[in-house]
Amino acid sequence: MPDSGIGAAVKRREDFRFITGRGRYVDDINRPGQLYASFVRAPIAHANVRGIDTAEAEKAPGVVAVFTGEDLEADGVGSLPCGWVVTDKHGEPHKAPPHWPLVRGKVRYVGDHVAVVIAETLAQARDAAELVEVDYEDLDPVVDLAQAGEGAQLHDEAPGNLCYDWELGDKAAVDAAFEQAAHVTKLDLVNNRLIPNAMEPRAAIGEYDVGSDSYTIYSTSQNPHLLRLILCAFVLNLPEHKVRVVAPDVGGGFGSKIYAYAEETVCTWASKKLNGKPVKWTAERSESFLSDAHGRDHVTHAELAMDAEGKFLALKVDTKANLGAYLSSFATAVPTYLYATLLAGQYATPAVHCNVRGYFTSTAPVDAYRGAGRPEATYVIERIVEVAARDMKMDPAELRRKNFIQPDQFPYQTPVALVYDIGDYEPTLDKALEMIGYRDFAQRRAESEARGKLRGIGFSAYIEACGIAPSAVVGSLGAGVGLWESAQVRFNPTGSVSVFTGAHSHGQGHETTFAQLVSEKLGVPYEQIDIVHGDTGQIPMGMGTYGSRSLAVGGSAIVKACDKIVEKGKKIAAHLMEASVDDIEFDGGQFKVAGTDKAKGIGEIAFTAYVPHNYPEGVEPGLDETAFYDPLNFTYPAGVHIAEVEVDPDTGETKIVDWVAVDDFGKVLNPMIVEGQVHGGIAQGVGQALLESAVYDDSGQLVTGSYMDYTMPRADDFCEFRVGMTVSECTHNPLGVKGCGEAGAIAAPAALMNAITDALGAEIDMPATREKVWRHAQAKLKAAAE
Amino acid sequence: MLTVTMTVNGQKVAKDVDPRTLLVQFLREQLNLTGTHVGCDTSQCGACVVLVDGKSMKACTMLAAQADGCEVTTIEGLAKNGELHPMQAAFKEHHGLQCGFCTPGMIISAVDLLQQNPDPSEHEIREWLEGNICRCTGYHNIVKAIQHAAQDMRS
Ligand code: FES
Ligand code: FES
């Protein structure tokens, strides 16, 4: 095992600053002369705004300015765009009503941005925000997704609150297959709405510099270049070369920090208005609950057709997806292209059809949250397969095995557009069964029963499409951007290396893994490699981090840049050693003349490149290469998670007693970091299944607006996780990697709900709260007694 | 305005503050000790935990004035003479952090746990962390780190 290259569990170099309190998050940054923004937010879900009286607030101590949507409108500030056009089943683009950073005439969810107060201190801004008088004319809210089509209309552009009615797959083939079916399993499912809750609340500082007519924005962003592009090209009409976005240490994202939000937009705009005074805003947690983009929120009916032996013939799925009050940056794509395309799962189901209707409701915007569409797809498939096994009285593991896509079928064209390049599902299942001790489950169940407890086991054989994404493919599906990644690898004259990546680390440990990668590729000691990310002023370009893409796409860009370095290094080495370029081999940091013992270290080559006194003709000085990598396909991580639970029928408590995760992420760079990603993902998936749920009441008030009402998973909700791996290397990127960031969150909800419903012998929806579990456990005991 | 005096990480400080200033604001804004974080507004997340007279306290739940005359230790003051505290070292060694935002509060809270119970069981560790939320790690490696730190500190 190498000690710092590919495959080594190198301890993270970023940790030192975090464990000593020297991290630098946006709220830790203070700019000279900075002012503070506080937003006036809608207290009701749907209303016309008849007037906003800012006079009292303007007079309050310390207040510098109060702005409303009218001020932004007068300055030509645009709408926050949605970057993905979904074409509905009639060939029409989705309905795209405007999303103004500060409302114009109407509020559409509790927390909507009505005005901003800017003052010398935060306390003054908050106090004055209370003094802004808004005259509202109440309108009916639209809260219930199932009824969203019948409610009051939120946007003139969207009759029936319908954003799109979209489908994927061959409906005729599916209908024909259902006619042939020996058995059909049907299931209704709710995929509960979640609030991402990265522990660092969103924050922004907008700073305009009068002298240079340029802007610096400090933002808690997962993708600083993308934020810059959106703000410049669509919202604020700024020249991109005059705007620098810095996303320093960011305390978790999980999707919620991908998007361009109202707050950073307004702070940036206001700083110019106020002659270059920096304007800072940091969310209070209650603001995060109200206005971070939420996740999931589907209502689904699914049917699975099988032959008499349990072979899957067809799957049909009908989903209503909640998009919230406005379309967040990638909202439209999540319940369509990131969801329905995954409905084949790991199975060779010949026909799949999915219909999705996306609705506007008077709730916070909904967008990608860890997994984004793929957890919803896995939940549908893995729940219905489990229920089918129960219907057919078959072993759930064996029913899955029977339907797996076989190794010789790859590359495998699914009936829902994707082509899986590689996978090997059976060994992964076998390993998981072995690890959990499946053969002895019946015995463990009997032991639990003897203690008055109900034991259950649940499987989830998930698949995801990661390494997002081949630009031409997503472009043909409506994406407004390319999803390549860039890297710049720069040797310094003394032989150390600075690497600039467009990926952004907000917990993933890129500073460590990317340095491992470069060390392996260039043979430079790990300690002499520095990774720079999160600053558009330093990094050539970038698309950021989400969709488990950093290594598969960003890492591949680094490999390409390293290859260019080696190519150029060979020319310099050939010159110095008076050999032909074709005879130069590169290995472990040494350029060697093949078949001789002549060699030059890469450090000497770098020095020569910057002090080119004895140098090949026609070669530019310097050793600094940039590469862009556009993936050829998605990657397809897959695996099997098995959860074992024990339910206490007296209290309704569900105890997770064992958890096994076996994942195939392709090649693994740093197993310690990969396992950490799996743990964190499982915890979020368990949170969804057991504890978390965003609830709006009938009037559209967010009932779960703080940690007192929204139950976050705590340490004592879990057992130890047992993680195993199998490896089938991705065939189309230079590293053979697939991505690991979302797997746990994708796999876990179905595994846990399958285990709980197995224990209860009854169907329930997420979250499996104590009360629900207790009711069904009691009913089961009662039925058994009768 | 009110004058508060306390010892923070071994240094005596005296400052004038607005009476409603929270201890966490005092540390972050007046002393520029930004390692203590704010993750919520309802005293639940534990990102702000510091030691006040040796006991772990949520610095968002206390006024600066209430800490008048106290000894306060923040994450910045945990390492001594350039040496990491065993708890800090264990978090790094066992990958007990990802984004690092919950980490200062976790570490300080865990330090207090071991003061009170030098040999906690896994269950006791998990229960103790009730007041500290981490969204990244699934707690698995945090628990491991604390177990190892306990071992190191006993030996
Ligand atoms: S900031 Fe959350 S408990 Fe103090
Ligand atoms: S490491 Fe990110 S919240 Fe704990």
Side-chain angles (χ1 to χ4, degrees):
Chain A
M1 172 84 52
D3 55 0
S4 65
I6 292 177
V10 178
K11 309 298 176 207
R12 300 198 326 168
R13 53 167 52 164
E14 38 277 88
D15 287 1
F16 177 76
R17 64 179 188 272
F18 296 130
I19 59 180
T20 56
R22 266 82 178 181
R24 188 166 172 266
Y25 301 89
V26 173
D27 191 53
D28 300 342
I29 298 170
N30 292 300
R31 302 293 303 155
Q34 97 193 349
L35 304 172
Y36 296 82
S38 177
F39 286 83
V40 177
R41 294 177 183 276
I44 40 181
H46 189 199
N48 287 321
V49 177
R50 283 193 292 224
I52 305 174
D53 183 354
T54 60
E56 284 301 308
E58 277 163 23
K59 281 187 280 185
V63 170
V64 176
V66 182
F67 296 115
T68 68
E70 273 179 26
D71 300 301
L72 273 68
E73 188 171 7
D75 235 20
V77 174
S79 151
L80 294 162
C82 173
W84 199 306
V85 178
V86 166
T87 303
D88 74 7
K89 61 169 136 174
H90 312 294
E92 297 289 321
H94 75 260
K95 303 289 187 296
H99 179 191
W100 307 116
L102 294 179
V103 301
R104 299 183 186 174
K106 210 175 184 195
V107 296
R108 293 183 176 85
Y109 71 101
V110 171
D112 210 348
H113 311 70
V114 179
V116 63
V117 176
I118 297 166
E120 279 158 13
T121 71
L122 181 56
Q124 288 168 337
R126 286 187 184 156
D127 287 347
E130 305 270 325
L131 302 175
V132 174
E133 291 273 346
V134 187
D135 181 10
Y136 292 109
E137 178 191 13
D138 280 26
L139 299 168
D140 287 338
V142 183
V143 181
D144 182 6
L145 171 60
Q147 310 294 325
E150 284 96 66
Q153 189 169 328
L154 288 171
H155 297 279
D156 295 344
E157 296 81 356
N161 296 317
L162 189 64
C163 180
Y164 50 69
D165 183 353
W166 175 90
E167 66 180 345
L168 182 68
D170 185 342
K171 187 162 187 307
V174 167
D175 289 343
F178 269 81
E179 305 233 318
Q180 306 294 314
H183 180 83
V184 173
T185 291
K186 300 182 182 181
L187 193 60
D188 287 296
L189 293 166
V190 173
N191 203 293
N192 44 328
R193 184 183 182 109
L194 302 175
I195 303 180
N197 273 302
M199 290 317 297
E200 179 208 23
R202 285 190 295 119
I205 305 172
E207 182 171 357
Y208 175 69
D209 182 63
V210 180
S212 61
D213 186 27
S214 65
Y215 297 79
T216 304
I217 303 168
Y218 300 89
S219 166
T220 50
S221 175
Q222 299 178 216
N223 34 228
H225 288 87
L226 194 56
L227 176 62
R228 183 179 68 164
L229 174 65
I230 293 175
L231 290 184
C232 290
F234 298 97
V235 192
L236 293 173
N237 291 317
L238 303 178
E240 211 175 351
H241 61 295
K242 289 288 197 182
V243 178
R244 175 179 170 208
V245 177
V246 181
D249 287 328
V250 172
F254 315 112
S256 67
K257 293 172 180 167
I258 297 172
Y259 325 116
Y261 286 93
E263 291 88 355
E264 56 262 30
T265 307
V266 170
C267 289
T268 305
W269 172 84
S271 178
K272 168 140 196 210
K273 263 313 214 213
L274 300 172
N275 277 322
K277 288 271 194 190
V279 178
K280 180 173 183 175
W281 169 80
T282 302
E284 292 182 81
R285 179 58 60 183
S286 44
E287 289 185 283
S288 310
F289 273 103
L290 288 176
S291 70
D292 286 5
H294 293 182
R296 319 279 192 257
D297 207 347
H298 286 192
V299 176
T300 293
H301 176 78
E303 299 187 11
L304 177 64
M306 286 169 286
D307 72 10
E309 275 73 53
K311 271 267 184 206
F312 303 160
L313 302 176
L315 175 70
K316 70 179 162 199
V317 177
D318 184 52
T319 294
K320 286 184 175 179
N322 197 341
L323 302 171
Y326 305 99
L327 296 177
S328 171
S329 306
F330 292 101
T332 50
V334 177
T336 51
Y337 292 110
L338 293 178
Y339 166 66
T341 50
L342 272 306
L343 285 170
Q346 298 187 4
Y347 309 111
T349 314
V352 178
H353 180 262
C354 180
N355 193 156
V356 180
R357 279 162 290 169
Y359 287 100
F360 294 104
T361 63
S362 39
T363 62
V366 179
D367 207 324
Y369 167 62
R370 198 173 196 169
R374 292 152 292 167
E376 295 89 316
T378 288
Y379 192 66
V380 170
I381 306 162
E382 289 305 292
R383 291 291 349 270
I384 201 165
V385 166
E386 195 86 12
V387 173
R390 290 170 194 165
D391 284 357
M392 306 278 285
K393 307 224 175 332
M394 288 179 67
D395 181 293
E398 294 317 303
L399 179 62
R400 286 178 168 88
R401 187 192 303 279
K402 183 185 269 248
N403 286 285
F404 278 154
I405 299 162
Q406 295 303 308
D408 61 1
Q409 289 179 280
F410 293 98
Y412 178 77
Q413 171 68 61
T414 73
V416 273
L418 298 177
V419 179
Y420 301 165
D421 64 327
I422 194 165
D424 197 0
Y425 305 139
E426 236 181 299
T428 309
L429 174 65
D430 286 334
K431 186 163 183 177
L433 292 174
E434 178 68 38
M435 281 172 71
I436 200 90
Y438 189 48
R439 244 176 290 136
D440 309 324
F441 174 71
Q443 200 182 323
R444 293 196 294 278
R445 173 175 258 172
E447 281 162 15
S448 295
E449 255 160 42
R451 284 183 284 109
K453 304 276 160 69
L454 304 173
R455 201 173 185 105
I457 193 166
F459 298 82
S460 178
Y462 73 95
I463 192 160
E464 44 176 338
C466 294
I468 287 177
S471 296
V473 174
V474 294
S476 73
L477 302 178
V481 290
L483 288 166
W484 42 264
E485 194 47 86
S486 85
Q488 182 181 8
V489 174
R490 178 193 298 161
F491 265 89
N492 302 303
T494 52
S496 65
V497 181
S498 304
V499 179
F500 302 85
T501 171
H504 184 273
S505 186
H506 31 280
Q508 295 86 343
H510 296 168
E511 290 165 39
T512 301
T513 35
F514 288 2
Q516 286 180 252
L517 170 58
V518 172
S519 173
E520 170 111 3
K521 288 286 159 199
L522 297 179
V524 173
Y526 168 80
E527 296 72 25
Q528 291 183 31
I529 300 162
D530 195 38
I531 307 296
V532 180
H533 63 98
D535 183 353
T536 66
Q538 296 191 70
I539 294 137
M541 257 297 155
M543 292 308 293
T545 286
Y546 39 81
S548 304
R549 71 191 301 274
S550 297
L551 191 56
V553 190
S556 295
I558 292 174
V559 171
K560 274 188 72 177
C562 288
D563 289 347
K564 288 187 183 178
I565 292 270
V566 170
E567 212 176 299
K568 182 167 179 180
K570 281 185 179 172
K571 290 183 195 154
I572 303 169
H575 175 83
L576 292 180
M577 295 188 283
E578 296 173 343
S580 138
V581 175
D582 296 340
D583 289 338
I584 304 291
E585 291 169 349
F586 181 73
D587 183 36
Q590 297 287 316
F591 291 94
K592 296 178 189 147
V593 182
T596 74
D597 56 3
K598 281 206 248 177
K600 291 270 178 202
I602 195 165
E604 187 181 343
I605 299 300
F607 185 78
T608 307
Y610 289 102
V611 188
H613 297 166
N614 174 17
Y615 206 64
E617 219 170 283
V619 176
E620 286 176 21
L623 197 54
D624 181 354
E625 297 288 347
T626 300
F628 283 66
Y629 177 79
D630 200 344
L632 300 169
N633 189 355
F634 294 89
T635 61
Y636 298 96
V640 172
H641 285 219
I642 307 178
E644 214 168 297
V645 300
E646 210 177 59
V647 167
D648 183 338
D650 294 331
T651 62
E653 186 193 4
T654 299
K655 221 170 130 203
I656 301 171
V657 289
D658 201 0
W659 196 289
V660 163
V662 181
D663 301 287
D664 176 359
F665 297 134
K667 197 165 188 133
V668 168
L669 243 80
N670 183 324
M672 176 192 82
I673 287 180
V674 168
E675 284 183 23
Q677 288 291 317
V678 173
H679 300 155
I682 295 171
Q684 281 176 325
V686 168
Q688 167 164 32
L690 213 52
L691 306 162
E692 298 178 40
S693 193
V695 178
Y696 285 90
D697 71 11
D698 293 344
S699 69
Q701 292 294 333
L702 181 64
V703 179
T704 51
S706 83
Y707 289 141
M708 294 195 281
D709 309 295
Y710 186 91
T711 318
M712 292 285 281
R714 306 294 211 280
D716 60 357
D717 292 314
F718 301 103
C719 63
E720 243 182 76
F721 307 122
R722 297 196 290 138
V723 178
M725 292 195 193
T726 54
V727 176
S728 68
E729 292 189 11
C730 171
T731 59
H732 56 78
N733 65 44
L735 286 163
V737 299
K738 297 181 179 174
C740 65
E742 296 160 294
I746 292 170
L752 188 53
M753 292 308 289
N754 285 337
I756 294 173
T757 52
D758 180 44
L760 296 176
E763 278 308 312
I764 56 172
D765 274 319
M766 299 187 288
T769 56
R770 278 192 186 203
E771 192 215 333
K772 267 190 232 173
V773 171
W774 178 80
R775 275 181 205 291
H776 285 90
Q778 289 297 321
K780 180 174 179 177
L781 292 187
K782 216 167 172 192
E786 272 160 18
Chain B
M1 283 290 173
L2 201 83
T3 306
V4 296
T5 310
M6 63 184 93
T7 306
V8 179
N9 300 333
Q11 296 224 318
K12 205 154 182 143
V13 295
K15 297 257 176 196
D16 291 336
V17 301
D18 181 334
R20 61 178 168 168
T21 305
L22 299 169
L23 178 58
V24 68
Q25 292 172 320
F26 180 72
L27 294 170
R28 288 181 58 80
E29 286 155 30
Q30 310 237 8
L31 304 184
N32 204 25
L33 291 170
T34 54
T36 303
H37 296 152
V38 178
C40 73
D41 45 13
T42 52
S43 291
Q44 257 124 0
C45 74
C48 61
V49 172
V50 296
L51 296 175
V52 179
D53 287 340
K55 276 191 54 148
S56 58
M57 299 288 278
K58 287 180 169 167
C60 72
T61 312
M62 225 178 139
L63 296 169
Q66 288 173 295
D68 192 45
C70 294
E71 293 258 355
V72 175
T73 305
T74 70
I75 189 72
E76 289 93 341
L78 210 53
K80 291 275 181 296
N81 309 320
E83 252 221 31
L84 292 179
H85 186 283
M87 189 61 74
Q88 292 172 306
F91 266 67
K92 175 171 170 132
E93 185 63 26
H94 299 283
H95 191 28
L97 61 148
Q98 291 182 21
C99 79
F101 197 80
C102 71
T103 310
M106 283 284 178
I107 289 178
I108 299 269
S109 180
V111 165
D112 192 20
L113 165 64
L114 297 193
Q115 283 173 177
Q116 301 189 26
N117 178 358
D119 190 11
S121 67
E122 181 191 334
H123 181 71
E124 285 169 330
I125 295 172
R126 289 183 182 272
E127 293 226 305
W128 176 268
L129 295 179
E130 175 69 30
N132 290 83
I133 304 177
C134 174
R135 193 54 148 172
C136 297
T137 63
Y139 304 98
H140 183 104
N141 287 337
I142 291 177
V143 173
K144 285 239 140 45
I146 297 173
Q147 285 172 322
H148 280 92
Q151 238 169 44
D152 293 348
M153 287 168 72
R154 285 198 311 275
S155 62

